[in-house]
Amino acid sequence: MTESEIKHFAWHSVNSETTLPFPMDYRLVFRHLGSVAFLIGLAMCICLPWGLVGHFERRGVFGLSLSILLCIVVGVILRKIGRKSSGELFQKEAIAVVVLSWLLVSVLGALPYILSDTYRTPDIRMSWGDALFESTSAYTTTGATVFGELENPETLPRCVLFWRCLGHFLGGLGILVLLVALAGHGSTRKTIVRAEMSGIIAEKPSGRIRRVVWILFSIYVSMTFLLTVILCVLGVPLFDSLCHAFGTIATGGYSTYNASVGHFAAETNLNAAAIEWAITLFMILSGTNFLLFYWLVQGRPNVLFKNQELRAFLAIFLIACTVLLVSGWVYSDFDVFGTSDKPAVQGERTSDVAPVGLSVRYVFFNTASILTNTGYCTDEYDKWNGLSRFVLLMLFFVGGCAGSTSGSIKVIRHIVCWKMIRRGTELTFRPSLVRPLIANGREWSPEEQSRVLLYFVVYVSVFVFATILILAIEPTSKWVAGGFDPENKAIDVASSVATTLSNTGPGFGIVGARQNFGVYSEVSKYVFCFVMLLGRLEIFAIFALLMPAFWRRSPA
């Protein structure tokens, strides 16, 4: 859940003396971080069997086992430090726990890549920058990767490959939400969930918070299980079914194949069309506010049908598909190969132009993937015509619904911003107009409107600053050496920043559908890690921890 109420907490944390009357309880923060370390170690245990079944993967099993041991050691140390904490979690501690937990899991999640002696290509061993990038991308459900070879177990053990995809599952709903569902206690539950989950929703669930979290957790797991079963029925192996279900429901996008989901179209024994349509449907469902599913389970389907954000989300999807389909046909963008080296249409053919049915699949699948910030690919959309690429670039900045597993700005913020523009325009010729702003079934206060506008401004500012920083770090010679047009360097870097900030995954050009982030330097990868965390935690949470006023007894 990405649309954090934490930005609201952070704002008040640094601007209100009454909100922060007490100093930070560091021991309490350490205690919760210890629990998170134990949870990551437990999750790594799930990956071990994949290194034992069939071909024994010595490096993978050793690396995972040592990583589990280190997680336990870190957990014990942190819990020991926090054993005398008060147990009362307030806003400051909740913000610190959420942000520091994401930093901690990103570091711990990088251990299996390093300790398993993993290679991102057959001749390039993974560095700490590579491992941290891959781990951060997994947990933030970005799906950007440094791997150029996924299908060789000699360079990337299957148990580590499974760990890579499992990170999506852990990060999709929110690591701390999972922790509350499994082992939450006392008054800390509500504080953690409010700090981790979405805040821009039409109706907030009432009742015991752990019950609500359990229902959301059950929906999340059920959708993952259902898609896994569907893929298995369609002939996809269990390993691949689980990994692609993790990436779909969490809108992460990590695949087990170099050609992403496009790989299945090259397999003659699989129903590629059914597989792609199933994943498309679940990507759209995962881009929907999960709390709508909660109300559906509670027997209130009217909330689902009345939701303005959902209607706008589906409208954006259908309009984008229409534009991309017509534009693609006009410019002959679609071919039968997709992202695979083998044609997606088997048998004799007179040309490489994709038939209508395949073209529709390409458009609907890749549009859903970009809009929901999943990042799966079935076609090289970075080679489509200029209009299509521009539409897809704009979708980077839209995202799914608030309360979904998608990243980016979110549809509801665009709705509010549009209504603000429309009302501001009307005020130019009707200055005495007094009309509340109604969006998604409720009135938005001036303070909430200001926060939405502020988020847009800060989001764009982060995008511009990070793009300039990467452009300054990266030499143009890399584009020449990689066979890319150096004149497109600015566009390629801008798309790289946009796709990491929006937690989408692949971008255009140097990080296109068949490329990866391995070309970037170590420093740039660390910058991208920070950008991914900013996008996942919606900027203000991390900014709050960087402000001295946050750590003082009371603001100056």
Side-chain angles (χ1 to χ4, degrees), residues 324 327-335 379 383-385 388:
L324 292 173
S327 176
W329 282 335
V330 170
Y331 289 95
S332 302
D333 286 334
F334 314 120
D335 60 48
D379 194 28
K383 294 183 178 179
W384 291 356
N385 67 85
S388 295

Side-chain angles (χ1 to χ4, degrees), residues 71-318:
C71 287
I72 293 174
V73 170
V74 171
V76 169
I77 293 174
L78 292 173
R79 293 284 293 187
K80 187 176 180 62
I81 294 174
R83 68 185 184 279
K84 293 183 180 180
S85 61
S86 64
E88 192 74 18
L89 192 71
F90 294 103
Q91 290 183 10
K92 285 177 66 174
E93 287 81 7
I95 295 171
V97 167
V98 169
V99 176
L100 295 179
S101 290
W102 282 96
L103 294 173
L104 177 63
V105 299
S106 296
V107 173
L108 294 179
L111 293 176
Y113 300 110
I114 297 298
L115 300 178
S116 297
D117 195 24
T118 302
Y119 286 70
R120 58 183 176 89
T121 64
D123 56 344
I124 302 178
R125 181 183 284 108
M126 289 192 76
S127 64
W128 265 108
D130 293 327
L132 186 63
F133 180 96
E134 202 73 13
S135 176
T136 306
S137 179
Y139 286 119
T140 59
T141 67
T142 301
T145 185
V146 297
F147 280 105
E149 176 57 57
L150 296 171
E151 301 175 28
N152 184 359
E154 296 300 321
T155 59
L156 176 59
R158 277 166 56 90
C159 56
V160 178
L161 180 61
F162 190 82
W163 167 245
R164 175 177 177 266
C165 297
L166 184 62
H168 282 338
F169 180 83
L170 297 174
L173 188 62
I175 294 169
L176 293 174
V177 173
L178 299 180
L179 184 63
V180 169
L182 296 173
H185 56 86
S187 61
T188 65
R189 296 171 185 161
K190 189 172 183 179
T191 311
I192 287 180
V193 172
R194 288 183 65 196
E196 175 76 9
M197 288 175 58
S198 168
I200 304 181
I201 49 178
E203 291 188 71
K204 297 178 182 179
S206 58
R208 298 181 60 184
I209 191 67
R210 193 178 187 187
R211 178 174 176 272
V212 173
V213 170
W214 261 112
I215 292 176
L216 293 175
F217 180 68
S218 300
I219 293 172
Y220 184 70
V221 173
S222 298
M223 290 175 63
T224 305
F225 175 77
L226 180 59
L227 180 57
T228 301
V229 171
I230 291 174
L231 293 178
C232 285
V233 170
L234 293 174
V236 180
L238 177 61
F239 181 89
D240 296 331
S241 296
L242 281 169
C243 290
H244 286 87
F246 292 154
T248 301
I249 306 305
T251 60
Y254 273 163
S255 177
T256 54
Y257 296 102
N258 299 329
S260 189
V261 176
H263 167 87
F264 299 118
E267 296 291 331
T268 56
N269 61 324
L270 296 176
N271 187 339
I275 293 171
E276 291 175 21
W277 283 117
I279 293 177
T280 301
L281 172 62
F282 276 88
M283 283 192 293
I284 294 297
L285 291 175
S286 300
T288 303
N289 191 335
F290 270 51
L291 286 172
L292 294 179
F293 299 140
Y294 168 84
W295 292 120
L296 196 61
V297 172
Q298 294 295 100
R300 297 180 57 186
N302 59 309
V303 176
L304 180 67
F305 298 122
K306 292 191 305 181
N307 190 269
Q308 183 182 12
E309 185 185 25
L310 178 59
R311 295 198 303 269
F313 171 66
L314 295 176
I316 292 171
F317 171 67
L318 293 175

